Amino acid sequence: MIQKNFELTKITPINSSITKLAFHAPEIANSVLPGQFINIKVDETTVPLLRRPFSVYYVQENSVEIVFGVMGMGTKKLTLKKIGDMLDVLGPLGKPFNVSDNEELSILVGGGLGTASLPLLQKHLIQKGKKVVTFLGARTKEYLLSSYLTDVRTATDDGSSGYHGTVIELLKHFLFENKKKNCKIYACGPTPMLVTLTNVTEEYNIRCEISLETAMACGFGICQGCAVELKNKEVGFALSCKDGPVFKSNEIIL
Ligand SMILES: Cc1cc2nc3c(=O)[nH]c(=O)nc-3n(C[C@H](O)[C@H](O)[C@H](O)COP(=O)(O)OP(=O)(O)OC[C@H]3O[C@@H](n4cnc5c(N)ncnc54)[C@H](O)[C@@H]3O)c2cc1C
Ligand code: FES
């Protein structure tokens, strides 16, 4: 885990509320695994006091990219950064997706900004020689984050791109047509999407890992502020920052 100031090298507005930032950080670019995150101090002052967690969206040429939407003060302050500013970053943090399973087909599922953890994951899966198909869902086509991803099927709430409906409905059609495949699903998105997905994976008996975006404070296991309830009542709970953010979908209670 590294804590260091890194220079902001690129700012790319994706749409009116989503921005992509890149910063030069060889130490993180060369060590981060898919599903891990970084914790950014968005301002030199104590307002906001806590760092904000973001998935590593992509890495290339010693550069790390994140994409984020404006939620509140922290992300608003991030949008005010300029090229050349220094970003105080802690990371990489958390447990990554397990890309060592021997599935015949890897299925990636992203909802909204949850898509942010998928491009790096797809890169690692393809490097391992796996066949990958990706399902993305968003409100409208402007919110679909398909950069760096291949073999993408989309679903939008308003029907402006791909299937008119939810990404899980689209996934269900696919699973119904391909039910003999040895699949594994990797997903990140809003909790209601993950709840529905977990039900579907149980119905089809498919292995599934999900990445949670539980609100966090320290990001590395000190504050106990990111507890997730486990199905195993003897253990009780896990910390999303340290034991996750990636969990097997059948291990946790959403
Ligand atoms: C491991 C991890 C990876 C993440 N990756 C990304 C990413 O790649 N891109 C991205 O845009 N966001 C990501 N997030 C969410 C991001 O951290 C929050 O949106 C951000 O911290 C909000 O900060 P803020 O100061 O702008 O808003 P705040 O002022 O802190 O919050 C504004 C509102 O959003 C709610 N909120 C804050 N955080 C969350 C959360 N995690 N889940 C649900 N509601 C929340 C608050 O309750 C409040 O209502 C990730 C979160 C985690 C834990
Ligand atoms: S955020 Fe502090 S323990 Fe997880």
Side-chain angles (χ1 to χ4, degrees), residues 107-141:
I107 302 174
L108 312 192
V109 183
L113 281 156
T115 303
S117 59
L118 301 186
L120 193 62
L121 172 63
Q122 189 186 77
K123 186 180 179 181
H124 279 243
L125 290 166
I126 288 173
Q127 278 169 354
K128 284 189 159 281
K130 299 196 184 192
K131 183 167 162 37
V132 185
V133 58
T134 301
F135 291 82
L136 299 185
R139 272 179 279 164
T140 69
K141 68 176 180 192

Side-chain angles (χ1 to χ4, degrees), residues 37 52-55 67-69 71-76 113 116 212-216 245:
F37 67 97
R52 298 296 193 251
F54 298 95
S55 303
V67 285
F68 65 95
M71 291 287 289
M73 185 202 289
T75 43
K76 177 72 193 159
L113 281 156
L212 303 182
E213 297 203 335
T214 322
M216 291 179 184

Side-chain angles (χ1 to χ4, degrees), residues 39 215-227 239-242:
N39 231 359
M216 291 179 184
C218 72
F220 51 90
I222 302 299
C223 71
Q224 309 282 301
C226 60
L239 296 175
S240 188
C241 66
K242 188 164 77 73

Side-chain angles (χ1 to χ4, degrees), residues 184-185 187 197 201 206-210 247-250:
K184 178 176 171 187
I185 295 178
L197 175 65
T201 57
I206 298 175
R207 283 166 296 163
C208 178
E209 287 184 11
I210 55 181
F247 293 93
K248 287 181 181 161
S249 63
N250 60 5

Side-chain angles (χ1 to χ4, degrees), residues 185-214:
I185 295 178
Y186 303 82
C188 187
T191 305
M193 181 196 109
L194 297 178
V195 170
T196 317
L197 175 65
T198 301
N199 294 336
V200 172
T201 57
E202 279 168 15
E203 184 187 335
Y204 283 86
N205 195 22
I206 298 175
R207 283 166 296 163
C208 178
E209 287 184 11
I210 55 181
S211 177
L212 303 182
E213 297 203 335
T214 322

Side-chain angles (χ1 to χ4, degrees), residues 80 83 97 121-122 137 154 179 219 231 243 248:
L80 304 177
I83 289 173
F97 287 106
L121 172 63
Q122 189 186 77
T154 61
K179 53 183 131 195
K231 285 194 176 152
D243 307 313
K248 287 181 181 161

